[in-house]
Amino acid sequence: GGRRGGGAMLTKFETKSNRVKGLSFHPHRPWILASLHSGVIQLWDYRMGSLLDRFDEHDGPVRGVHFHPQQPLFVSGGDDYKIKVWNYKLRRCLFTLLGHLDYIRTVEFHPEHPWCLSASDDQTIRIWNWQNRSCLSVLTGHNHYVMCAGFHQREDLVVSASLDQTVRVWDISGLRKKNVSPADQMQMPQINSDLFGGGDAVVKYVLEGHDRGVNWAAFHPSLPLIASGADDRQVKLWRMNDTKAWEVDTLRGHMNNVSCVLFHARQDVIVSNSEDKSIRVWDMSKRTGVQTFRREHDRFWILSAHPSVNLIAAGHDTGMIVFKLERERPAYNCTGNQVLYVRDRYLRQYDISNQQDVPLLLVKRGSGSLGGGFRAMSFNPAEGLVLLQSDADGGSYELVSVPKDSSRSDSVTEGIRGHGGSAVFIARNRFACLDRSSNNIVVRNLQNEVTKRVPSPCGNTEAIFYAGTGTVLVKGDERVVLFDLQQRLALAEMQVAAVKYVVWNDDHSRVALLSKHSVVVADRKFKDAHTIHETMRVKSAVWDQSGVLLYATLNHLKYCLPNGDCGTIQTLDAPVYLTKVAGSVVHCLDREGRARAIQIDPSEYRFKLALTQRRFDQVVALIKANRMCGQSIIAYIQQRGFPEVALHFVDDPKVCFTLAVQCGNIEVALRSAAEVDQPDTWYRLGVEALRHGNYEIVEYCYQKTHNLERLAFLYLCTGDLEKLNKMMKIAEVKGRVMEWFHTALYLGDVRERVGILHSAGQLHLAAAMVRAHNLDQTDEKMAAIASKVEASEEEATMLGEGGPPKLLMPPTPILKDTNWPLLNITKGALETAFDFGSLEAAAANAEQAAEEAGMGEGWEDTVGDAWGVDGGDGMG
């Protein structure tokens, strides 16, 4: 939409939906309720831009909706004559209040008492007690539809507007006395209390002046004023005292019915909207229109102002918008320890070192006039000059001298003024500004005289930013260009859309480009660029001395390392504008323009920075100080290729095991596996230990997983015949025929194999084996087995072809009784820095680990326990 007296509308959130008839901001959370013509009530998070919930129980349009100021409740009223009270935590309607006989136009909770107010087309206003669900009072007197009704924030008053062309103010002090204070009620005589509810709520004033039906009336939050809007296209301002009320002025400008009107909570303005598809802002003191926002096709129906934040919502034919009338960002500049900023029409100076905040001078323009406040500031410390930029008159600036003595702060500056956008100092005695009409960058001296005009390197230049002496960053055509004004030369450029703010580090070697939902960090030539995307709006940024960018979103303080890695430092209770980082303190300004210092813990980003820059002494110092912990840090260290460092943070045995396997620390892996004690963990440890040649641990892992085949093969490879024999006996006891046979094969024990085949009923194979090895000629028992089955022709042929048979015998191992040459795991610089101790200590640790895991009491017991031969049934 367009606007008179400034730039475009500051839209913060927009929805597309059916026609919006009712709106209500939550008093504390970033939520808004929208009730639709379709009968649905939507609950939106306007900060995240997401639909949180929808409530769909009304039959027909819902025209009124309102959040309770403290409880998790809201009330709604619709064309089904029903008032519903909902609990948004339970996500359901608690109860329905019945009594109205026609459409309900508005509903509202009382700020203090358990009351609810409703206005209806049945020409009445009702006040309900929502706790006992009863109707306390019916306010009669209007003789046409009552279009709206609202409580006064502090006094016992109700205002209502009706199509009978009147606005009425009702006194409800009797109702409060009757319902809130029973002691007072007993002392009052009951006169006419039940006759039309006469004693409870009485008409105090009838405001007549509109010549058509009145659609809306609203109290001023603190002054005795009322604003009303009607079908006569006029907005009227009324004043009241204890005895009477009168019309103060009429605001003309709308071209159709005025649907809603309200006073701004924090500024001296009235906001109205209309079926003429516009929202208008009126200056209350001058009583003139200062801003107009228009939509192409949508009529406006409802307005709602946030009770404490500078936000307004408007509902129209195809949805709603949440917007601000003007920016709340203070114009500021930080040089060294001095922060210059504008607040309440004063240029002020805040000294970070001694926390002194002093007003320097009164500036004529500023926060008083809507849309005329200063947007940004450029400071020239050499000459003690400040350039203040404003959007007024299509872009203007003011060049003022900063007084050395702050005692004369009441002096009004008569600075040099001029037209042009984005005015910034580019040298000690020169500043540049943007002439949008000719697309030139105009360089001026301190007397405001033009010394040079340079055509912009961008076809459609939107802004310029300071980029070091004699250079500017030019924003336009969806890119930024680093431009040397002296040589008229583009030094570097980068495609980046909608840059709002530019933040340089102290030596101008690195830059941060802030957009609404992204941050780009790069070096001066726009190389090594990294982009961070944010769902929340990015508000400000500042460089740390170590080269880390700290930036603030609406509700978080975050960091970004030079390599683009980023993270969250802490949550913010309100948006802030960062000015400087000093150690573990972040200095900033809040939206009221007050200096604040936030204590932070920088150890996480310092740790990550030291790790990426391979400054291991700092990494060790931070770890030894026990400042680091948490899953994200462990994941980060692991991801960066330092699992041995991550080991020092981990308590969880599963994670510890994974990290130990990754960095080849078999002793720690063994200890962790014993804690976890799961088959897949033992299997993984066995594989890794085998890779290292540590066959003692491999053997132990195979025992723990009851893996007889692998264990037997390991003993074959290591030439451990004694243990192979033991294995064969165990397999025999357990009746595991295949393992028994395999072990006998590995041992080269033919008689045992013949015995196994014979006992298994494989008589042909047993006899063939006896004859093949000529055992029948020397052993009577073997001869008896061979005699049971005659040799077949195939057997005779096979034995004849192959020559004399040879026994398969276990090979003699090269190394016996010790581990194989272990895989060399080179210690990283970090592990060395941790100084884990000597080799003897490491060996002692390994022995201790083995003992803890149960390997130290002799092989026989362990194997016996593992397979349940002596006790238990391990593999049963």
Side-chain angles (χ1 to χ4, degrees):
R3 149 178 171 175
R4 193 164 80 242
M9 185 182 220
L10 298 172
T11 306
K12 298 294 167 188
F13 174 58
E14 201 161 351
T15 68
K16 293 275 177 274
S17 69
N18 209 286
R19 185 184 305 167
V20 174
K21 301 296 282 185
L23 288 169
S24 176
F25 280 104
H26 192 281
H28 313 296
R29 299 190 180 190
W31 295 353
I32 188 165
L33 280 167
S35 62
L36 310 185
H37 201 261
S38 61
V40 174
I41 301 163
Q42 296 177 329
L43 175 59
W44 292 93
D45 183 321
Y46 54 79
R47 197 182 268 178
M48 294 298 288
S50 55
L51 181 65
L52 301 177
D53 216 332
R54 59 198 302 278
F55 305 91
D56 189 5
E57 279 189 31
H58 277 286
D59 188 13
V62 184
R63 297 176 190 274
V65 70
H66 190 237
F67 269 118
H68 193 280
Q70 290 94 27
Q71 305 287 340
L73 305 175
F74 68 89
V75 61
S76 61
D79 285 7
D80 52 6
Y81 313 169
K82 290 174 182 172
I83 296 165
K84 289 181 178 285
V85 175
W86 311 73
N87 184 313
Y88 56 74
K89 280 189 177 171
L90 301 176
R91 303 179 63 187
R92 63 183 179 84
C93 174
L94 300 180
F95 54 86
T96 303
L97 301 171
L98 299 172
H100 280 297
L101 306 172
D102 209 334
Y103 296 172
I104 294 158
R105 295 281 174 175
T106 63
V107 285
E108 186 182 305
F109 281 116
H110 192 277
E112 254 177 81
H113 306 314
W115 298 348
C116 176
L117 182 71
S118 57
S120 168
D121 284 3
D122 66 8
Q123 305 182 16
T124 68
I125 300 151
R126 284 177 179 251
I127 300 174
W128 311 77
N129 182 321
W130 56 264
Q131 282 182 341
N132 63 22
R133 307 178 193 183
S134 64
C135 180
L136 300 179
S137 186
V138 181
L139 282 60
T140 55
H142 282 297
N143 51 35
H144 207 311
Y145 301 165
V146 185
M147 298 303 283
C148 87
F151 286 116
H152 195 284
Q153 287 302 298
R154 281 186 295 282
E155 296 177 37
D156 293 323
L157 298 174
V158 165
V159 67
S160 61
S162 166
L163 293 191
D164 65 10
Q165 304 182 17
T166 68
V167 173
R168 287 176 181 244
V169 178
W170 311 75
D171 183 343
I172 57 165
S173 54
L175 190 70
R176 181 177 58 80
K177 288 167 186 162
K178 180 178 172 183
N179 288 278
V180 178
S181 174
D184 293 348
Q185 179 197 342
M186 290 174 72
Q187 294 162 17
M188 287 176 61
Q190 296 287 311
I191 305 167
N192 274 349
S193 63
D194 295 321
L195 183 63
F196 304 111
D200 301 341
V202 293
V203 176
K204 193 169 186 183
Y205 317 115
V206 179
L207 309 180
E208 295 178 314
H210 284 290
D211 5 335
R212 293 276 181 89
V214 189
N215 291 314
W216 204 269
F219 284 121
H220 190 281
S222 54
L223 301 172
L225 298 173
I226 293 169
S228 61
D231 286 350
D232 59 9
R233 307 175 182 183
Q234 294 173 1
V235 173
K236 286 188 184 286
L237 184 62
W238 314 78
R239 183 176 279 276
M240 58 182 181
N241 60 20
D242 289 342
T243 56
K244 64 180 191 296
W246 64 98
E247 185 180 328
V248 176
D249 213 339
T250 300
L251 309 173
R252 294 179 176 87
H254 279 296
M255 313 299 289
N256 205 330
N257 304 340
V258 180
S259 20
C260 192
V261 57
L262 53 81
F263 292 99
H264 194 283
R266 298 172 65 173
Q267 283 166 306
D268 213 13
V269 295
I270 293 170
V271 187
S272 62
N273 67 5
S274 160
E275 293 179 47
D276 68 6
K277 305 168 193 166
S278 77
I279 299 171
R280 287 175 185 258
V281 183
W282 314 83
D283 186 312
M284 263 173 63
S285 50
K286 296 177 186 164
R287 316 227 176 100
T288 54
V290 286
Q291 287 178 304
T292 305
F293 307 113
R294 287 194 176 83
R295 285 188 81 82
E296 294 278 320
H297 308 294
D298 302 313
R299 296 166 296 174
F300 283 103
W301 298 103
I302 184 72
L303 280 169
S304 179
H306 195 287
S308 56
V309 179
N310 177 25
L311 286 175
I312 294 175
H316 53 78
D317 281 335
T318 59
M320 63 138 169
I321 40 175
V322 176
F323 63 99
K324 272 184 193 176
L325 292 185
E326 69 173 354
R327 285 179 174 81
E328 293 172 283
R329 182 190 187 91
Y332 68 94
N333 176 281
C334 183
T335 307
N337 279 332
Q338 306 299 319
V339 181
L340 287 170
Y341 65 100
V342 178
R343 185 179 94 215
D344 299 335
R345 310 189 101 171
Y346 276 93
L347 176 66
R348 304 179 71 93
Q349 184 178 52
Y350 175 72
D351 191 321
I352 287 172
S353 54
N354 59 18
Q355 282 125 46
Q356 276 195 330
D357 191 338
V358 288
L360 296 178
L361 54 89
L362 186 65
V363 284
K364 278 192 169 178
R365 198 197 303 277
S367 55
S369 58
L370 194 65
F374 294 116
R375 283 287 310 280
M377 179 191 299
S378 180
F379 180 49
N380 180 343
E383 298 290 331
L385 293 170
V386 165
L387 267 172
L388 295 164
Q389 306 164 24
S390 167
D391 280 343
D393 311 320
S396 61
Y397 59 86
E398 203 164 315
L399 179 65
V400 295
S401 178
V402 179
K404 299 281 186 286
D405 179 14
S406 63
S407 61
R408 308 222 12 248
S409 61
D410 55 345
S411 60
V412 178
T413 175
E414 278 303 330
I416 299 171
R417 293 188 181 180
H419 287 284
S422 309
V424 287
F425 286 108
I426 54 163
R428 189 182 62 77
N429 57 355
R430 293 285 185 275
F431 69 92
C433 61
L434 180 62
D435 180 357
R436 288 194 177 89
S437 57
S438 62
N439 202 41
N440 281 341
I441 299 167
V442 181
V443 180
R444 295 173 180 266
N445 61 19
L446 300 184
Q447 288 71 46
N448 205 25
E449 298 160 350
V450 176
T451 62
K452 189 187 290 186
R453 283 181 175 274
V454 183
S456 168
C458 297
N460 178 25
T461 309
E462 296 166 47
I464 59 172
F465 305 95
Y466 176 64
T469 306
T471 53
V472 288
L473 266 185
V474 183
K475 167 195 167 188
D477 307 331
E478 302 283 298
R479 62 193 175 123
V480 288
V481 179
L482 182 65
F483 190 62
D484 188 319
L485 289 167
Q486 194 65 37
Q487 302 176 57
R488 304 187 178 210
L489 185 68
L491 304 174
E493 72 169 76
M494 178 165 54
Q495 293 294 124
V496 52
V499 173
K500 294 177 76 178
Y501 308 105
V502 172
V503 183
W504 291 94
N505 65 352
D506 288 344
D507 62 0
H508 287 83
S509 61
R510 292 193 71 77
V511 66
L513 308 173
L514 311 187
S515 303
K516 200 171 186 177
H517 290 286
S518 68
V519 178
V520 179
V521 290
D523 62 16
R524 186 170 177 80
K525 296 285 185 185
F526 297 148
K527 299 285 186 281
D528 188 30
H530 302 279
T531 305
I532 303 108
H533 295 284
E534 290 287 343
T535 50
M536 308 302 285
R537 289 198 298 282
V538 179
K539 303 309 285 182
S540 62
V542 66
W543 289 91
D544 185 2
Q545 291 298 316
S546 59
V548 176
L549 181 80
L550 271 66
Y551 64 97
T553 66
L554 269 177
N555 56 358
H556 284 110
L557 183 60
K558 300 193 168 189
Y559 64 84
C560 175
L561 302 185
N563 65 356
D565 288 341
C566 51
T568 302
I569 297 171
Q570 66 185 59
T571 309
L572 297 170
D573 50 359
V576 292
Y577 305 97
L578 308 181
T579 53
K580 186 182 173 76
V581 185
S584 59
V585 178
V586 175
H587 296 278
C588 57
L589 295 171
D590 62 17
R591 278 186 160 162
E592 276 67 48
R594 286 180 175 76
R596 283 178 57 187
I598 301 172
Q599 196 71 36
I600 63 162
D601 179 4
S603 45
E604 180 182 317
Y605 72 75
R606 285 181 182 168
F607 176 83
K608 289 183 176 180
L609 184 68
L611 200 64
T612 52
Q613 294 177 343
R614 307 186 78 81
R615 296 203 305 269
F616 296 127
D617 53 337
Q618 291 183 23
V619 173
V620 173
L622 282 162
I623 289 174
K624 285 186 173 172
N626 284 328
R627 299 286 292 280
M628 311 302 305
C629 61
Q631 290 300 318
S632 62
I633 281 285
I634 294 162
Y636 181 84
I637 299 167
Q638 209 177 336
Q639 176 194 335
R640 289 277 158 216
F642 298 104
E644 71 278 7
V645 183
L647 262 179
H648 292 272
F649 301 106
V650 182
D651 295 323
D652 186 310
K654 282 188 179 175
V655 181
C656 193
F657 174 78
T658 306
L659 289 170
V661 166
Q662 268 185 16
C663 59
N665 194 330
I666 292 296
E667 290 79 13
V668 175
L670 175 60
R671 209 173 296 131
S672 306
E675 283 185 62
V676 177
D677 199 19
Q678 286 178 350
D680 58 333
T681 311
W682 288 117
Y683 172 73
R684 276 185 68 195
L685 178 59
V687 171
E688 188 63 19
L690 195 59
R691 201 171 70 83
H692 285 249
N694 194 331
Y695 80 74
E696 288 171 1
I697 291 180
V698 177
E699 173 189 1
Y700 182 67
C701 294
Y702 290 165
Q703 289 168 11
K704 291 296 282 183
T705 52
H706 303 217
N707 200 327
L708 282 173
E709 293 89 343
R710 283 175 186 272
L711 196 55
F713 191 69
L714 178 71
Y715 292 150
L716 173 67
C717 295
T718 54
D720 202 331
L721 303 184
E722 185 188 340
K723 289 181 182 173
L724 264 176
N725 263 311
K726 178 112 182 159
M727 290 268 302
M728 191 167 74
K729 297 282 189 301
I730 290 167
E732 182 180 355
V733 171
K734 299 288 282 182
R736 299 175 74 101
V737 178
M738 283 312 293
E739 279 90 339
W740 183 12
F741 186 81
H742 271 136
T743 317
L745 185 66
Y746 290 157
L747 282 166
D749 190 337
V750 183
R751 284 181 172 76
E752 189 73 22
R753 285 186 351 245
V754 171
I756 294 165
L757 290 170
H758 186 261
S759 62
Q762 299 286 350
L763 299 179
H764 283 85
L765 284 173
M769 191 171 284
V770 168
R771 285 191 282 269
H773 290 283
N774 298 319
L775 297 178
D776 51 345
Q777 291 162 19
T778 56
D779 191 321
E780 288 180 16
K781 191 178 177 185
M782 294 291 126
I785 290 170
S787 64
K788 288 183 183 178
V789 180
E790 289 292 321
S792 63
E793 286 180 25
E794 290 90 344
E795 185 186 319
T797 311
M798 280 168 62
L799 289 173
E801 283 176 0
K806 290 177 185 173
L807 277 173
L808 176 66
M809 293 302 288
T812 308
I814 301 164
L815 282 172
K816 203 171 179 185
D817 300 328
T818 60
N819 281 326
W820 299 325
L822 296 177
L823 180 69
N824 274 333
I825 300 292
T826 54
K827 271 193 179 184
L830 271 167
E831 271 193 294
T832 313
F834 279 119
D835 190 20
F836 285 126
S838 63
L839 285 171
E840 288 79 15
N845 284 343
E847 270 182 42
Q848 187 192 342
E851 273 181 35
E852 284 172 15
M855 284 175 61
E857 295 122 20
W859 184 84
E860 290 80 2
D861 299 340
T862 317
V863 173
D865 291 346
W867 286 308
V869 176
D870 303 324
D873 61 353
M875 290 188 61

